Amino acid sequence: MRIRIVDAFADRPFTGNPAGVLLLDSTGFPDDGWLQRVAAEVNLSETAYAHPLPPGGDADWALRWFTPATEVDLCGHATLATAHVLRSTGRASGALRFATRSGILGALAHEDGSLTLDFPTSSLTPVPVPDGLASALGAEPVAVHDTSERIGDLLIELADEPAVRALAPDHAALAGLSRRGIIATAAAEDPGRGYDFVSRGFFAGVGIDEDPVTGSAHTALAPFWSARLGRTELTGLQVSARTGLVHTSLRGDRTLLTGRAVTVIDGELLSSP
């Protein structure tokens, strides 16, 4: 069985967010325990599994995502990575439709090599600052919003870009403050550098201290910053050590996420289901 490691939301190797991708020839998924063990072995923030669906249905491929610790409802970078592998190997052409735990998700390739994902927009609800958040995060929040049940994060606005970049949180303390994780964000210090806002994502609740580039988080970041900046087309820079750009386009209840991907490892998995 072929297994690939793809750097998503990246235009060169060793940047962006790496994801494992396994394209299955079966008409169903292997045992959940095997899927989880492989994801733990790969030990990246997400490993994606996809198998083809019969023609004529609502979707072309079934898709699931696993962290080293658990299955998740939505993942942007591993979806981008899967679409990239399907395109680069000739397994699919035209627009792609994935059947997932978050409904039908679309992916469209462009002539310049980039890919656009069609994801549901996350709702945002202002909430009080939870007890212990400021000390666990190591910064004082300006505002806190709860995202939709599908995402399960707290979106934390900080004073400025340097505050986001300087974060060194207590991950164990953050784990109990949200269903999935914490998204810290601020407006770009200098929009002339090619991005409108910055973010970092901490997801100790699903076994990931810091995610390099989180596509799903941008379904909440897009409406948040579009409302403040007055534009539906924005670019976010996730300022992890690897960094990555996510171009967002807010379309009501859908958010389009555009980025690039690079395959860095293409190998063989010797352990079969």
Side-chain angles (χ1 to χ4, degrees), residues 23 50 61 81-93 96 98:
L23 301 182
W61 290 77
T82 303
H84 167 77
V85 170
L86 286 168
R87 295 291 186 189
S88 62
T89 60
R91 295 288 299 272
S93 60
L96 284 166
F98 296 107

Side-chain angles (χ1 to χ4, degrees), residues 144-163:
V144 179
H145 287 75
D146 188 35
T147 63
S148 67
E149 185 66 31
R150 182 184 294 112
I151 303 299
D153 297 331
L154 288 180
L155 181 65
I156 314 299
E157 182 183 6
L158 297 183
D160 51 32
E161 179 177 332

Side-chain angles (χ1 to χ4, degrees), residues 11 42 80 82 91 101 110 130 143 148 157 164 188-189 196 235 253 256 265 267 273:
D11 58 6
V42 174
L80 190 77
T82 303
R91 295 288 299 272
R101 288 170 63 162
H110 304 289
S148 67
E157 182 183 6
V164 175
E189 190 172 36
D196 301 291
T235 299
D253 64 353
L256 305 184
I265 296 175

Side-chain angles (χ1 to χ4, degrees), residues 84-220:
H84 167 77
V85 170
L86 286 168
R87 295 291 186 189
S88 62
T89 60
R91 295 288 299 272
S93 60
L96 284 166
R97 300 167 300 165
F98 296 107
T100 77
R101 288 170 63 162
S102 290
I104 304 300
L105 306 178
L108 180 65
H110 304 289
E111 291 185 0
D112 65 357
S114 64
L115 290 153
T116 294
L117 305 179
D118 183 343
F119 272 30
T121 300
S122 177
S123 61
L124 295 169
T125 304
V127 296
V129 178
D131 292 340
L133 174 62
S135 60
L137 192 60
E140 194 65 40
V142 173
V144 179
H145 287 75
D146 188 35
T147 63
S148 67
E149 185 66 31
R150 182 184 294 112
I151 303 299
D153 297 331
L154 288 180
L155 181 65
I156 314 299
E157 182 183 6
L158 297 183
D160 51 32
E161 179 177 332
V164 175
R165 289 181 177 272
L167 290 174
D170 180 337
H171 297 291
L174 286 180
L177 296 175
S178 67
R179 295 182 298 280
R180 185 181 75 159
I182 301 294
I183 308 163
T185 188
E189 190 172 36
D190 178 6
R193 294 176 179 171
Y195 55 91
D196 301 291
F197 61 87
V198 297
S199 67
R200 288 174 69 185
F202 309 104
F203 306 104
V206 292
I208 305 163
D209 283 349
E210 181 167 6
D211 195 39
V213 190
T214 313
S216 60
H218 284 75
T219 66

Side-chain angles (χ1 to χ4, degrees), residues 37-59:
R37 287 191 292 274
V38 172
E41 185 78 8
V42 174
N43 201 32
L44 297 174
S45 59
E46 305 285 350
T47 297
Y49 304 91
H51 71 75
L53 294 171
D58 293 334

